[in-house]
Amino acid sequence: MEQLQSPIWLQWQQLGAQQRVAALLEWQQALDLVPAQWRQLAAFQCRQMLRLSALEQSLPSPSGESNEYYLSGRGLVFVYSPQDDDDYRWYVATIAALAAGNAVLLASDFSELDSMLASFSETLYLRQLPADGLLTGCECIDLQHQLASHQYAALCYYGEAELAQAIRLQLAEGDGPIIPFICEVLGDPQASLTHPDFLLQLVCERTRTTNLTAIGGNTELLTLGSKA
């Protein structure tokens, strides 16, 4: 399977939540293809990403190194929604995944999908931000091939219950790690997209350690345990 190794995606992730959210909200303002209530829900998830990013902090450094706790995107998120133009849950999930620092492959039958993708690229180009490969679209056909052709970091599905079960089985039978399967079926009153912790399914908690000894760190701390 193809695994996402895009330097442009890495640049997007490394921009930080503030820049990503600012770009996405600017894109939303110029996007009249999506009803206002769905754009408001997407903006809510953007604000939640800012809240989560505020939790990033420095950790104790017992031996003079630098330790940092931060949140990172998972990688390539596949959003699949073979629905009519009245259901825009796929749009909210796409915005949330991008805000979290992921790239997105979007499969939707939305009639204005090409225009929406072009608007996204234009917004990022004007801000001189990476755009190629961050958000790509495809038709809702040959799902089995789509699932087998990429190594996704997460999958968001919005549609019929029968297809949801088929996706679960294919993911369980596939090679590689088990990935988050974020699913809402028609008629299900539970709306995960409105939950303030929805984004936790689309990020990873990480720590970064930098060894400062070679540039003048406190080397005496490294020998405390060896003194008699």
Side-chain angles (χ1 to χ4, degrees), residues 116-154:
M116 190 183 77
L117 297 177
S119 174
F120 175 78
S121 295
E122 181 180 0
T123 299
L124 266 63
Y125 281 134
L126 290 175
R127 280 178 162 261
Q128 298 183 337
L129 298 177
D132 296 336
L134 281 179
L135 176 59
T136 55
C138 64
E139 297 180 349
C140 291
I141 56 176
D142 200 1
L143 175 61
Q144 185 174 3
H145 172 72
Q146 287 287 355
L147 291 177
S149 61
H150 292 79
Q151 184 173 330
Y152 299 105

Side-chain angles (χ1 to χ4, degrees), residues 28-110:
Q28 278 213 134
Q29 291 178 354
L31 194 65
D32 57 0
L33 301 172
V34 177
Q37 64 268 29
W38 295 100
R39 282 182 282 148
Q40 291 171 3
L41 183 54
F44 166 74
Q45 290 298 342
C46 285
R47 291 192 297 270
Q48 293 307 110
M49 187 62 234
L50 294 178
R51 177 183 65 85
L52 290 174
S53 67
L55 300 176
E56 298 179 358
Q57 59 183 301
S58 297
L59 300 175
S61 305
S63 57
E65 78 281 5
S66 170
N67 296 316
E68 178 188 3
Y69 164 82
Y70 68 102
L71 298 175
S72 168
R74 288 180 172 272
L76 178 60
V77 176
F78 184 29
V79 179
Y80 187 83
S81 181
Q83 298 303 309
D84 58 34
D85 290 354
D86 293 330
D87 191 308
Y88 292 87
R89 286 176 292 181
W90 55 267
Y91 170 78
V92 180
T94 298
I95 292 285
L98 290 168
N102 300 287
V104 175
L105 174 61
L106 171 60
S108 172
D109 290 332
F110 182 48

